[in-house]
Amino acid sequence: MTEKPIYDCIIIGAGPGGLQAAIYLGRFNRRVLVIDRGAGRTTHARHIENYLAQKGISGTDIIRIGMEQARSFGVDVIKGEVVSVLKDKDIFTVSTATDTYAGRYIVVSTGGKENIPEIENIHKFFARTVVTCIDCDGYHFTGRKTVVIGNSIKSADLAMGMREMYSKDMTLILCTDKLPPDYKEELKDEGIRLVIGRPKRFHGADAGEAVEMEDGTMIPCEMVMSHFGFKLNDQFLSGLNLKKESDGRTYQVNRDFESSLRGLYIVGPLCGHDQVVIAAGEGAIAALDIKKQLLEM
Ligand SMILES: Cc1cc2nc3c(=O)[nH]c(=O)nc-3n(C[C@H](O)[C@H](O)[C@H](O)COP(=O)(O)OP(=O)(O)OC[C@H]3O[C@@H](n4cnc5c(N)ncnc54)[C@H](O)[C@@H]3O)c2cc1C
């Protein structure tokens, strides 16, 4: 029987953050393992236009090409879902349901999972005319009949920001009536229609045409911004007692993206930013620091 190797670095999650770290560490001739369960958020992005030197590339292509690139530098990639990470002395043990792997350093780049409201037909239009991120897709709303759907004051802020940057034809649907009166006044002054109630169904043959409310009202629209946030994929970190930021959600990291546990790095949405180019940059920074630490060992 051959003994399992101790990897220099185990990367959990093959999104832009994890793959970029893998490419750097592979090119430092380090022994690297990527464990990924597939179908991450990047693969939902159909048309990424804000990544330098890419006029338009799908998230699926970024991941496919990144995976090929990492493998070409000797990185091992396996499909699996990590269920726990533990540290004993200087070695981490990473477990999936069926296996365990040992590594000296860890990069966690597991991103998040969209909170998708229960509205009929949402999956038909999701990532096309129903989107979730102003920085990613706000530009596609330019000059178009827009609906923002949410349930908080932040959704009202989002509608005002989108009105300023992209579209004057704006309706805000709030599922709960939590808005203070001065906010309602401000929306009115900005020319934003406010509807309180629950959306029932999206209408449209191919492109979006209208949102039907539970009371039967039809709100015409071409583009919808669904504002319900996303959950972080971080359950497997619960045994490590890592320090979090004051928001109680994202993780504390230093300037090299090392967490409060030495040797464990966290990049991407788990430490606050939700953009492909940023996750990739953070992955590169983490990999450079791991290279340095490995040389000092
Ligand atoms: C519809 C949509 C459009 C977007 N458009 C843009 C855009 O135009 N421009 C832009 O910059 N950003 C865009 N984004 C945001 C972008 O997708 C994220 O910023 C990016 O995914 C973050 O990269 P990541 O590497 O942290 O995570 P992800 O791409 O989410 O990758 C994480 C990976 O980890 C895996 N994983 C999770 N948990 C585990 C586990 N326990 N074990 C093993 N693997 C695990 C997942 O399966 C996934 O493959 C968009 C997002 C969405 C949803």
Side-chain angles (χ1 to χ4, degrees), residues 12-19 35-51 63 80-83 109-112 114 126-127 130-133 135-137 140 233-236 267-270 273-280:
I12 309 171
L19 288 172
I35 308 177
D36 184 69
R37 69 179 181 200
R41 279 177 81 235
T42 303
T43 62
H44 297 152
R46 287 168 183 250
H47 199 63
I48 294 170
E49 301 171 336
N50 55 3
Y51 196 94
I63 302 305
E81 175 160 3
V82 170
V83 292
S109 51
T110 43
E114 233 61 33
F126 186 71
V130 177
V131 297
T132 55
C133 161
D135 300 322
C136 309
D137 291 306
H140 300 295
N233 296 323
D234 62 351
Q235 299 78 352
F236 60 93
V267 303
L270 269 69
H273 294 118
D274 183 28
Q275 288 287 279
V276 169
V277 69
I278 297 176

Side-chain angles (χ1 to χ4, degrees), residues 54-252:
Q54 292 292 341
K55 288 187 184 163
I57 183 167
S58 71
T60 316
D61 278 349
I62 289 189
I63 302 305
R64 181 182 53 76
I65 297 166
M67 204 87 101
E68 283 168 18
Q69 218 175 333
R71 282 198 172 103
S72 76
F73 298 118
V75 170
D76 293 339
V77 183
I78 58 164
K79 185 148 189 170
E81 175 160 3
V82 170
V83 292
S84 77
V85 177
L86 296 171
K87 187 178 185 191
D88 185 25
K89 298 196 177 85
D90 286 336
I91 300 295
F92 289 93
T93 304
V94 177
S95 304
T96 63
T98 53
D99 244 317
T100 60
Y101 304 89
R104 294 180 214 287
Y105 289 87
I106 301 287
V107 176
V108 175
S109 51
T110 43
K113 186 173 188 304
E114 233 61 33
N115 293 325
I116 299 182
E118 279 183 30
I119 303 173
E120 279 175 48
N121 277 340
I122 192 161
H123 293 286
K124 175 175 167 189
F125 297 105
F126 186 71
R128 292 167 55 231
T129 55
V130 177
V131 297
T132 55
C133 161
I134 181 173
D135 300 322
C136 309
D137 291 306
Y139 182 75
H140 300 295
F141 287 69
T142 305
R144 305 185 74 180
K145 204 176 270 301
T146 294
V147 163
V148 173
I149 304 176
N151 57 5
S152 68
I153 288 182
K154 284 191 176 161
S155 313
D157 291 335
L158 176 69
M160 287 194 260
M162 289 192 60
R163 187 197 173 278
E164 177 166 336
M165 289 192 285
Y166 304 119
S167 172
K168 307 291 176 224
D169 189 334
M170 170 78 59
T171 303
L172 169 65
I173 301 177
L174 283 184
C175 302
T176 47
D177 190 2
K178 282 185 192 157
L179 225 47
D182 56 329
Y183 254 88
K184 289 186 179 168
E185 262 325 293
E186 204 174 331
L187 288 171
K188 207 167 160 192
D189 292 348
E190 296 270 343
I192 298 173
R193 294 176 289 275
L194 174 64
V195 177
I196 310 284
R198 294 205 154 264
K200 182 176 175 197
R201 184 181 296 129
F202 289 114
H203 288 266
D206 187 29
E209 286 169 17
V211 182
E212 180 185 344
M213 302 295 290
E214 274 184 349
D215 67 5
T217 314
M218 295 288 262
I219 301 167
C221 68
E222 293 167 279
M223 294 291 294
V224 174
M225 182 61 73
S226 167
H227 183 241
F228 294 90
F230 59 92
K231 292 181 209 60
L232 297 177
N233 296 323
D234 62 351
Q235 299 78 352
F236 60 93
L237 293 175
S238 60
L240 294 174
N241 219 359
L242 299 174
K243 285 193 184 148
K244 291 201 174 171
E245 292 293 350
S246 54
D247 61 11
R249 171 180 151 90
T250 52
Y251 289 85
Q252 271 185 24

